[in-house]
């Protein structure tokens, strides 16, 4: 969805099934992370566009076709959108790579995942039902699931297409009118998929996408007087603001705020499985993944062998442009690169050994925002590198003596999103899985961000509420209880 105006090529907002540019004329430049150059602009939605999108959603629910549409028909529309995403996968993947810098294969996998979200929730749309409840004599009681109403989804730049599927598909499946505020750094695939939604027949008002900066468009949307629920994925600092905005109006919110997810690696683990999963779990998307496994707790008696295997794999990693399609691409923007470099400089000042470092391909453009993947250790559990979310391809290793210490270290974090346990002792794995405080625990596997069917979300400062799976449909809907006296 783009237009050419006096100020150049601009990607507009998507409201009422039409592309519009902001009345203010404000725009935000978008850079290509692989060369650091501005390659396009997005419109920046202000109060007029936020009002229009929310009003269109309200009208679609109260007066329009969307609010009256049977669940199975919503499901059919979702299925058609899934097919349209698949049919346009090559174009969408290219957009996603340009916008985020992702290697071609990773962008392509993200588009496949976005299509899968719509496919999964297409099938689920007409399978969410209420219950009957035994009550007093002479009464019949039933519950039904209702949409919240107009739902604001504020999403980040790390997986724009996947985040669109993860948020929008379950929200539309339960019948909400959806207003998406994608991240200013990367929103082109989201705008394109919104266009596809209109093409496959979603009625006007069911879905709007409002590009713009967080402090402008995001703040206006999350503080809007007529939204009924907010779903947010991003930084803890903005998550706090979202929760305050929701509290002011006593509406609900889901917060997904990232983590410092640990792997616990025992000496008896199958390293042929563990090493690639641990390495991929931190370098996929250049480490900019909320559920990245960014700490490896390693059994001290086997430290050299286990860490040696990870270091060997780390040393082989290569960063490059999307077209080079190597292990990782650039990070999203100069601020993010500075953030990662700050952590690495601090680690060096703190005297932490650099155990291995990947490389950056020699022929990348000068302005590209590349960061070489780094493995540090042993790291003191109190060190900032072991505690804070770097959001880059930086992994730290921390030794432990025994199961009890491993559990203590895993839980010694303000976050609680994912964890991986690697051991051939099934009892030990299950004991740990049941006592680690996190929303998802993998045993002998790890897929940061994977699993459309699997409820996902955090505890503690990683946030609250669940996305993915059928749990997302529960989160994005509410229960009405109908009590009828029949005598
Ligand atoms: P952010 O929280 O600022 O942005 C996430 C989304 O919130 C974007 O759409 C943004 O425009 C919007 N936003 C920003 N300020 C807002 C406001 N005041 N009101 C409403 N919406 C607002 O995240 P970021 O600046 O893009 O990244 C900073 C850090 O956040 C990263 O380094 C990383 O640690 C973390 N992060 C986490 C995730 C995740 O998946 N959990 C994703 C992206 C970033």
């Amino acid at each position: 969805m783009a237009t050419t105006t006096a100020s150049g090529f601009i990607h507009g907002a998507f409201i009422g099934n039409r592309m519009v540019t902001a009345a203010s004329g404000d725009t935000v430049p978008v850079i290509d992370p692989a060369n650091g150059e501005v390659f396009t602009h997005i419109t920046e939605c202000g109060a007029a566009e936020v009002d229009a999108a929310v009003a269109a959603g309200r009208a679609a629910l109260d007066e329009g076709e969307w609010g009256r549409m049977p669940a199975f028909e919503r499901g059919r529309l979702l299925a058609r959108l899934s097919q349209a995403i698949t049919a346009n996968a090559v174009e969408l993947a290219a957009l996603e790579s340009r916008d985020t810098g992702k290697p071609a294969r990773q962008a392509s996998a993200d588009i496949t995942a976005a299509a899968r979200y719509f496919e999964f929730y297409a099938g689920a749309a007409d399978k969410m039902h209420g219950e009957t409840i035994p009550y007093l004599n002479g009464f019949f009681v039933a519950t039904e699931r209702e949409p919240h109403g107009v739902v604001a989804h504020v999403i980040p730049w790390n997986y724009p297409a996947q985040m669109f599927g993860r948020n929008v598909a379950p929200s539309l499946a339960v019948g909400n009118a959806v207003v998406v505020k994608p991240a200013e750094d990367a929103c082109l695939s989201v705008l394109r998929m919104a266009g596809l939604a209109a093409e496959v027949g979603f009625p006007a008002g069911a879905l709007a996408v409002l590009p713009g900066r967080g402090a402008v468009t995001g703040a206006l949307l999350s503080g809007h007087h007529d939204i009924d629920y907010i779903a947010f994925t991003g930084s803890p600092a903005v998550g706090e603001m979202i929760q305050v905005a929701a509290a002011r109006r006593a509406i609900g919110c889901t917060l997904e705020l990232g983590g410092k997810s640990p792997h616990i690696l025992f000496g008896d683990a199958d390293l042929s499985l563990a090493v690639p999963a641990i390495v991929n779990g931190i370098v996929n998307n250049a480490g900019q993944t909320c559920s990245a496994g960014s700490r490896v707790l390693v059994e001290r008696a086997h430290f050299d062998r286990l860490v040696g295997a990870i270091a060997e794999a780390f040393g082989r990693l290569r960063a490059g442009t999307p077209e080079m399609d190597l292990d990782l691409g650039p990070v999203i923007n100069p601020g993010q690169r500075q953030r990662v470099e700050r952590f690495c400089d601090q680690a060096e000042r703190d005297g932490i050994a650099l155990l291995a470092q990947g490389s950056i391909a020699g022929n990348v453009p000068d302005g590209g925002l590349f960061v070489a993947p780094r493995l540090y250790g042993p790291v003191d559990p109190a060190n900032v590198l072991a505690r804070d979310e770097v959001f880059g391809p930086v992994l730290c290793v921390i030794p432990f003596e025994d199961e009890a210490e491993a559990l203590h270290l895993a839980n010694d974090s303000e976050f609680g999103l994912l964890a991986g346990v690697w051991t051939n002792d099934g009892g030990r794995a299950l004991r740990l899985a049941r006592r680690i405080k996190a929303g998802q625990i993998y045993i002998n596997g790890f897929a940061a961000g994977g699993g459309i069917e699997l409820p996902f979300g955090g505890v503690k400062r990683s946030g609250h509420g669940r996305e993915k799976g059928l749990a997302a449909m529960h989160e994005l809907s509410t229960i009405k209880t109908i009590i009828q006296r029949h005598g």
Side-chain angles (χ1 to χ4, degrees):
M1 303 293 286
T3 189
T4 305
T5 69
S7 51
F9 195 63
I10 296 170
H11 292 266
F14 185 81
I15 303 171
N17 276 0
R18 286 182 37 243
M19 193 278 290
V20 294
T21 47
S24 64
D26 292 344
T27 61
V28 184
V30 183
I31 62 164
D32 177 343
N35 60 26
E37 288 168 16
V38 173
F39 73 98
T40 192
H41 290 76
I42 52 169
T43 200
E44 178 158 81
C45 293
E49 292 72 37
V50 173
D51 281 346
V54 174
R58 182 68 59 205
L61 289 171
D62 292 350
E63 300 139 35
E65 193 188 338
W66 183 242
R68 292 192 303 271
M69 189 176 283
F72 77 92
E73 284 187 18
R74 293 199 303 268
R76 281 182 182 164
L77 284 176
L78 288 164
R80 272 191 237 143
L81 182 50
S82 172
Q83 287 152 12
I85 291 170
T86 303
N88 291 276
V90 172
E91 178 206 338
L92 285 165
L95 263 182
E96 194 79 333
S97 271
R98 185 89 198 269
D99 221 5
T100 62
K102 281 174 206 275
R105 256 173 312 161
Q106 288 180 26
S108 177
D110 284 5
I111 303 305
T112 303
R116 263 292 286 144
Y117 276 110
F118 285 97
E119 184 182 43
F120 178 84
Y121 290 106
D126 59 355
K127 294 168 192 69
M128 258 241 312
H129 45 70
E131 303 175 314
T132 56
I133 300 175
Y135 190 48
L136 302 174
N137 284 343
F139 285 84
F140 176 80
V141 179
T143 62
E144 67 173 345
R145 281 261 159 204
E146 287 194 331
H148 287 301
V150 180
V151 175
H153 291 267
V154 180
I155 63 175
W157 42 258
N158 50 353
Y159 292 88
Q162 284 214 48
M163 289 290 169
F164 181 78
R166 178 163 132 187
N167 277 265
V168 171
S171 203
L172 290 174
V174 300
N176 291 307
V178 171
V179 182
V180 181
K181 209 306 276 174
E184 52 274 40
D185 291 281
C187 64
L188 304 185
S189 65
V190 171
L191 287 164
R192 180 72 185 105
M193 286 189 282
L196 293 175
E199 283 173 29
V200 302
F202 275 91
L207 169 66
V209 179
L210 304 177
R213 282 169 297 169
V216 179
T217 315
L220 284 166
L221 178 62
S222 50
H224 197 277
H225 67 276
D226 200 27
I227 55 169
D228 299 301
Y229 192 88
I230 313 176
F232 172 79
T233 304
S235 62
V238 177
E240 236 174 86
M241 291 190 239
I242 296 282
Q243 178 126 14
V244 168
R248 283 210 181 97
R249 299 197 38 253
I251 61 174
C253 68
T254 305
L255 300 180
E256 202 274 87
L257 308 178
K260 192 74 190 177
S261 297
H263 293 276
I264 302 179
L265 182 60
F266 286 93
D268 67 350
D270 179 344
L271 290 190
S272 70
L273 290 177
V275 171
I278 289 171
V279 172
N280 189 50
I282 188 68
V283 299
N284 185 45
N285 211 37
Q288 304 166 115
T289 305
C290 47
S291 49
S294 51
R295 300 185 280 157
V296 194
L297 314 179
V298 180
E299 190 172 7
R300 194 187 293 277
H302 305 270
F303 190 85
D304 289 348
R305 177 175 58 88
L306 300 178
V307 174
I310 298 171
E312 201 195 319
F314 237 78
R316 286 197 300 269
L317 293 170
R318 291 176 72 217
T321 63
E323 300 72 37
M324 292 173 185
D325 208 12
L326 303 176
D327 302 297
L328 66 160
V331 296
I332 190 78
N333 57 34
Q336 195 63 29
R337 184 163 72 172
Q338 280 162 15
R339 177 187 169 95
V340 178
E341 283 169 352
R342 264 200 318 273
F343 276 98
C344 296
D345 293 347
Q346 185 64 46
E348 272 148 45
R349 278 200 297 279
D350 292 344
I352 303 171
L354 179 63
L355 300 173
Q357 179 168 338
S359 58
I360 298 171
N363 48 344
V364 297
D366 284 345
L369 302 168
F370 298 94
V371 179
R374 291 181 179 90
L375 178 70
Y376 286 103
V379 178
D380 184 315
N383 189 275
V384 68
L385 196 60
R387 308 201 74 79
D388 284 12
E389 186 179 40
V390 178
F391 226 59
V394 179
L395 183 61
C396 65
V397 291
I398 303 167
F400 68 84
E401 288 304 331
D402 55 18
E403 186 179 323
E405 194 187 7
L407 177 65
H408 167 76
L409 290 171
N411 284 338
D412 182 22
S413 169
E414 60 176 349
F415 296 107
L417 192 55
L418 252 75
V421 181
W422 298 92
T423 174
N424 276 338
D425 180 338
R428 173 160 73 185
L430 203 51
R431 278 193 302 277
L432 283 166
R434 297 193 70 191
R435 296 184 65 192
I436 293 171
K437 294 187 173 68
Q440 262 189 5
I441 317 284
Y442 278 90
I443 297 171
N444 295 330
F446 195 87
I452 282 151
E453 307 84 348
L454 314 178
F456 174 88
V459 298
K460 303 194 274 183
R461 206 162 160 70
S462 290
H464 55 75
R466 291 293 174 266
E467 301 180 276
K468 305 190 180 185
L470 298 180
M473 292 173 72
H474 289 123
E475 205 74 45
L476 292 164
S477 62
T478 187
I479 292 177
K480 177 181 278 174
T481 310
I482 299 175
I483 305 118
Q484 183 180 11
R485 184 198 296 274
H486 55 66

